[in-house]
Amino acid sequence: MLAHAIFFYTFSFIAIVSAIMVTVSKNTVHSVFFLILDFISISCLFIMIGAEFLGMIMLIIYVGAVAVLFLFVVMMLNVAQQKNQWFSAEKSSKHIPIGIIVSLLIFFELIIVIGGWKYKPDLVSAMSLTIDKDITNTHSIGYVLYTDYIHVFQLSGMILLVAMIGAIVLTFRQRPGVKRQSYFSQISRERSDGVELIDVESNKGVKSDE
């Protein structure tokens, strides 16, 4: 129990410090690295409390995909230079008030959620339910997700689909003078359209310099 408590407080301290450094660090790349460290610490906490599925999901999805994507975007877009231009230019001061307003809204929402939280009777009764040790956490999460919350799960999938389509539409550009492939015309291409046989008379063909 002592070792478990030591590891718990260690990972918790690392997670809190990393989360603070994500917002405090001036270098954007360093912020992404602190974010990765925060995700790893939280996944370790999930594994310690017995939720190994959530811990591995944190490592695979957030650390292996989302954080790495953030890192590539930050390194390719040169965010540091853009940030300096935003804060140094005279016309870019509007970004700071908008950021402060959004931060205050998120802060007040968290206060409302935490302050207005009340334990419902069904949650209290759920704590006294017997847990089947033969069923793994992954099986239990899948059972709850695809039975009680199947509509919410499908709705979240539709939202992600709409977001993906919106990203494709926003990044799609029609540029003139660019050669593009037509997959339909390539697949439906016949031999007569691509090959032309010409009967060339003698001494009237293409002459090559020797």
Side-chain angles (χ1 to χ4, degrees):
M1 296 297 293
L2 180 60
H4 187 276
I6 292 174
F7 282 115
F8 176 79
Y9 287 113
T10 302
F11 289 129
S12 301
F13 178 76
I14 294 174
I16 294 173
V17 173
S18 301
I20 295 174
M21 292 302 297
V22 169
T23 58
V24 173
S25 180
K26 295 182 179 180
N27 194 337
T28 314
V29 179
H30 294 171
S31 298
V32 176
F33 283 129
F34 281 116
L35 182 64
I36 294 174
L37 181 60
D38 191 15
F39 286 154
I40 294 175
S41 302
I42 294 174
S43 64
C44 292
L45 291 175
F46 276 127
I47 294 173
M48 287 183 63
I49 63 176
E52 66 276 358
F53 178 76
L54 295 178
M56 296 307 296
I57 287 296
M58 286 286 296
L59 287 176
I60 295 172
I61 296 179
Y62 285 93
V63 178
V66 177
V68 175
L69 178 63
F70 286 168
L71 186 61
F72 276 112
V73 170
V74 167
M75 296 177 68
M76 286 189 298
L77 296 181
N78 197 5
V79 180
Q81 182 178 359
Q82 294 181 1
K83 182 177 66 175
N84 294 329
Q85 293 177 357
W86 287 348
F87 286 98
S88 60
E90 296 178 355
K91 297 181 180 180
S92 61
S93 59
K94 61 182 180 180
H95 295 285
I96 299 177
I98 294 175
I100 294 175
I101 292 173
V102 173
S103 301
L104 290 176
L105 289 176
I106 296 174
F107 179 72
F108 284 122
E109 287 178 356
L110 291 175
I111 291 178
I112 293 173
V113 170
I114 296 174
W117 175 259
K118 294 182 180 179
Y119 291 102
K120 297 182 180 180
D122 53 352
L123 294 178
V124 176
S125 61
M127 296 176 61
S128 61
L129 295 176
T130 58
I131 300 175
D132 191 358
K133 296 182 179 180
D134 297 331
I135 299 177
T136 60
N137 292 329
T138 306
H139 183 80
S140 301
I141 293 174
Y143 179 77
V144 174
L145 187 63
Y146 290 103
T147 53
D148 298 335
Y149 299 97
I150 182 63
H151 300 291
V152 181
F153 182 74
Q154 291 179 349
L155 181 61
S156 62
M158 293 298 296
I159 293 174
L160 292 176
L161 178 62
V162 172
M164 182 179 66
I165 296 174
I168 295 173
V169 172
L170 291 175
T171 56
F172 184 75
R173 297 289 184 272
Q174 288 285 352
R175 292 179 295 178
V178 178
K179 294 183 179 180
R180 299 182 182 274
Q181 290 182 336
S182 178
Y183 300 104
F184 180 76
S185 60
Q186 290 178 355
I187 295 173
S188 60
R189 186 179 181 182
E190 299 292 338
R191 181 181 178 183
S192 59
D193 299 332
V195 179
E196 183 179 0
L197 299 178
I198 300 176
D199 189 8
V200 182
E201 297 180 3
S202 179
N203 296 325
K204 291 186 179 181
V206 179
K207 296 182 179 181
S208 59
D209 297 333
E210 296 181 357

